[in-house]
Amino acid sequence: MAKNTIAMEVNLRKNENQQNAGYGKYYLEVARKPTLSLKGFAQHMVDHGSIYSRDVIEGVLKKITQCLPELIAQGIPVQLEPLGTFSPSVKNKKEGLTLTQLKTGAWDINTQVEGVHFNFLPYSVADENLTSRKFKEEWCTLQLTDVVKSRKETINGKVKRFVEKTPWETWIHDQGGSSAPASPNPSEGGGTSTGGNTGGNTGGNNGGGGGDEGEPDEN
């Protein structure tokens, strides 16, 4: 499988949590982009040469979104080759159940189960492997774009979080460093590359990123 020519943009964020073992270190996170709707996904499939019209594809996708939760709610795992398997699991109350509760019937299944998880396990056979390492190696071209930092402001009595972004090359230059991150296998290509100033139209997501500078971070 050839890697995508369109890169996955990745941002850099400093861990500001003093209670965390990684405090003061920098971590990478996927840059946030607008979510693609079902209609947009159907159009993407059409643009990739599907013999079916967008309406037909959209109809099939909508049926999947109806039937898949129905089967999961019945405890039936569904395998969609070559993506992976969707399956349910339950979230128990943290304290669990004692043998006395079970013997006396002093418990309720709907109270004990706090929620039902909708799980996804990527396909992992040799020729169709979508687990994290293989997916990165075979599908993804990573591009470092910005260094992001969250800040809080109180506006009309409400605390809002904003995200400030600095293009990677600008930030690392200001730190007195090299503009190119080291690559363990530079001859292989397709690995992490410098992003430069991409216009600052994306933000991070893991740990609270996103939005242009000065734009509220809704997560």
Side-chain angles (χ1 to χ4, degrees):
M1 173 61 67
K3 292 196 175 188
N4 283 336
T5 56
I6 300 176
M8 175 187 290
E9 296 181 352
V10 177
N11 290 334
L12 196 65
R13 182 187 294 273
K14 185 177 181 180
N15 186 335
E16 303 282 1
N17 184 357
Q18 298 185 19
Q19 307 303 317
N20 190 281
Y23 172 68
K25 295 182 179 179
Y26 291 83
Y27 294 88
L28 296 166
E29 60 185 28
V30 177
R32 177 189 296 172
K33 292 188 176 180
T35 300
L36 192 65
S37 66
L38 185 145
K39 182 179 292 185
F41 183 46
Q43 184 60 51
H44 176 84
M45 295 174 69
V46 171
D47 294 340
H48 273 243
S50 173
I51 62 173
Y52 302 104
S53 68
R54 194 193 75 186
D55 289 344
V56 172
I57 296 173
E58 192 174 338
V60 173
L61 291 175
K62 284 183 176 179
K63 196 63 179 177
I64 291 174
T65 65
Q66 294 169 0
C67 292
L68 188 57
E70 178 185 353
L71 292 169
I72 296 300
Q74 296 173 23
I76 302 173
V78 178
Q79 185 179 79
L80 296 181
E81 298 182 22
L83 290 178
T85 302
F86 294 87
S87 64
S89 64
V90 297
K91 178 183 179 182
N92 282 268
K93 292 182 70 173
K94 187 176 181 179
E95 57 268 25
L97 290 164
T98 65
L99 179 58
T100 299
Q101 286 177 300
L102 294 172
K103 290 170 66 176
T104 60
W107 66 287
D108 179 82
I109 188 171
N110 290 302
T111 301
Q112 185 63 28
V113 174
E114 294 186 327
V116 176
H117 293 292
F118 204 123
N119 303 311
F120 173 72
L121 180 65
Y123 216 53
S124 60
V125 298
D127 58 339
E128 295 287 357
N129 194 322
L130 289 180
T131 53
S132 63
R133 294 180 186 273
K134 277 291 185 179
F135 184 70
K136 186 201 77 171
E137 293 171 3
E138 297 183 6
W139 284 81
C140 301
T141 299
L142 305 179
Q143 176 176 308
L144 184 57
T145 54
D146 299 312
V147 178
V148 297
K149 180 180 181 180
S150 296
R151 60 181 173 83
K152 294 180 180 180
E153 286 188 14
T154 301
I155 301 177
N156 296 328
K158 294 183 178 180
V159 177
K160 292 189 176 183
R161 186 169 59 182
F162 295 80
V163 172
E164 298 174 345
K165 298 190 300 179
T166 305
W168 157 253
E169 290 184 345
T170 301
W171 183 87
I172 197 63
H173 178 270
D174 292 343
Q175 305 302 314
S178 169
S179 63
S183 174
N185 298 297
S187 61
E188 293 183 1
T192 304
S193 62
T194 56
N197 188 348
T198 60
N201 57 2
T202 60
N205 54 3
N206 296 333
D212 292 331
E213 182 175 350
E215 178 181 343
D217 177 12
E218 299 299 335
N219 284 352

